[in-house]
Amino acid sequence: MRQSILERARAGDETAFRALTDPYRRELELHCYRLLGSLTDAEDMLQETLLAAWRGLPGFQQRSSLRSWLYRIATNRCLNALRDARRRLPPEPVPPFAPPEPTRRDGIRWLQPYPLGEAELADTAPGPEARYAAAEAVELAFVMGLQRLPPRQAACLVLRDVLGFPVAEVAELLGVTPVAVKGNLQRARASLDRHRGHRVPRQATPDEHDLARRFAVAYLAGDIDGVVALLTDDAWLSMPPAPHEYQGRAAIAAFLSASFAYRGARRAHLLPTHANGLPAFGTYLDDSFRPVATPAGLLVLASAGDRISAITRFHLDALYPRFGLPPQLATGPSPA
């Protein structure tokens, strides 16, 4: 850190403050996202973190690095939010058709995707002591597992095993003892493995993109058998903020049958994008009264080998621009 920039920022120079903090904005937002599971909440928490840093900079004594100091602020802001009983759950959507009975109603309702592509994962490389690779630590399965942990356990695991902070530094960031950090880590690791089913980390391959392409062809054609043939036997379909989830080919086929029947003669459209380092599609459905197609959910695909292991459909139309997706598509007349 150049001392002159720090002194100007302390004196109230906003340009100097941005020069100090801009290099950390994206990683801090991603850190907040992992802990909160929500892109919207993470964006808000990043702004709170930067505001607190702006106000607290005159008292920054440089006993730690600026990055560690910012992580201390961000982590504790997230923990306060998670402890706040007033944290509101998003309303459960009412489907426009009668869906089949779900396998379970245990979905993380506040879960949202994060706009991060494969090529950007290099910018999130963890420290040398981290246990999880960058790609694994942003996947939806990983973030969902974190949401099921007690907040302090999740914070210890992210700081230590994802970001690679030493135990002593994690203890200082959280204001606890190293013994407490080690105990939280042990419990968090066991719980996360249990929630994720000891899942083997995904290895991105060219086949993954071909798998996504084949999925798109079958989905656009309303070919349920074609979609189901691409799934693992124990694949999951979830639809935040709806809590109901479907597991297995038969259950997913039943849901798709109801969904495609609701689509009827209207055309579906898919635009490729990425979320959480995974292939994704913005879905659009023709409007019955105007020559446009409107958002119908962001689909994120996770793979296991040469099959799709999870389909997560986010009903979050307002987030489309964050994934480079337009708010609507101009379409021609439907085929006769």
Side-chain angles (χ1 to χ4, degrees):
M1 181 193 315
R2 288 183 295 172
Q3 193 67 23
S4 60
I5 298 178
L6 176 61
E7 292 306 321
R8 293 204 312 271
R10 280 175 166 161
D13 186 331
E14 293 185 17
T15 300
F17 179 76
R18 286 195 296 273
L20 286 176
T21 58
D22 277 359
Y24 307 109
R25 289 179 64 99
R26 182 62 180 266
E27 64 176 283
L28 287 169
E29 183 183 78
L30 184 55
H31 176 61
C32 294
Y33 168 73
R34 287 188 178 105
L35 294 178
L36 300 173
S38 162
L39 173 59
T40 304
D41 290 347
E43 291 173 335
D44 291 343
M45 208 55 57
L46 174 63
Q47 295 308 311
E48 285 194 24
T49 297
L50 294 175
L51 179 59
W54 170 255
R55 290 172 174 171
L57 194 60
F60 173 49
Q61 300 299 316
Q62 295 181 263
R63 287 192 292 265
S64 65
S65 68
L66 177 69
R67 179 174 181 263
S68 293
W69 183 67
L70 291 171
Y71 267 99
R72 178 201 293 270
I73 296 171
T75 302
N76 284 289
R77 287 293 186 280
C78 289
L79 291 177
N80 288 340
L82 291 169
R83 284 191 291 260
D84 190 344
R86 294 172 298 173
R87 186 187 190 194
R88 293 176 297 176
L89 290 176
E92 183 177 339
V94 178
F97 55 89
E101 186 65 22
T103 304
R104 67 182 185 188
R105 291 176 56 88
D106 191 33
I108 306 296
R109 287 176 51 192
W110 60 88
L111 185 70
Q112 293 181 352
Y114 191 84
L116 186 70
E118 245 181 75
E120 300 171 279
L121 288 174
D123 295 333
T124 66
E129 296 187 54
R131 290 165 56 101
Y132 297 101
E136 183 181 8
V138 297
E139 287 186 23
L140 286 171
F142 188 89
V143 176
M144 282 190 283
L146 290 175
Q147 302 312 298
R148 300 186 186 279
L149 299 179
R152 192 170 292 278
Q153 286 186 24
C156 285
L157 187 139
V158 171
L159 290 169
R160 173 64 177 156
D161 289 352
V162 174
L163 297 169
F165 283 109
V167 168
E169 194 166 0
V170 174
E172 185 178 350
L173 288 172
L174 296 176
V176 299
T177 66
V179 172
V181 169
K182 292 176 181 178
N184 278 320
L185 275 174
Q186 184 177 14
R187 291 187 289 273
R189 289 165 178 167
S191 295
L192 187 64
D193 283 343
R194 185 169 63 252
H195 290 313
R196 299 171 68 220
H198 300 279
R199 182 174 171 269
V200 176
R202 154 185 163 267
Q203 298 292 328
T205 66
D207 290 344
E208 182 177 73
H209 299 285
D210 181 63
L211 187 60
R213 181 193 61 78
R214 289 155 57 203
F215 170 87
V217 170
Y219 186 91
L220 290 173
D223 179 4
I224 296 174
D225 290 339
V227 172
V228 169
L230 300 175
L231 304 177
T232 61
D233 291 339
D234 59 350
W236 282 95
L237 169 65
S238 55
M239 292 159 286
H244 47 285
E245 301 175 293
Y246 296 85
Q247 185 182 32
R249 292 180 171 185
I252 294 174
F255 179 84
L256 291 178
S257 178
S259 177
F260 288 171
Y262 168 73
R263 181 199 301 181
R266 289 178 295 169
R267 289 177 299 175
H269 309 263
L270 297 178
L271 289 185
T273 184
H274 284 88
N276 298 73
L278 299 168
F281 294 98
T283 71
Y284 297 81
L285 198 59
D286 275 359
D287 189 295
S288 300
F289 306 100
R290 300 178 298 157
V292 297
T294 54
L298 182 73
L299 292 172
V300 184
L301 307 179
S303 62
D306 60 352
R307 292 288 184 270
I308 294 170
S309 59
I311 303 171
T312 310
R313 181 172 191 157
F314 294 95
H315 295 277
L316 299 164
D317 299 351
L319 293 182
Y320 266 45
R322 287 296 311 271
F323 295 85
L325 299 169
Q328 63 181 31
L329 296 177
T331 61
S334 300

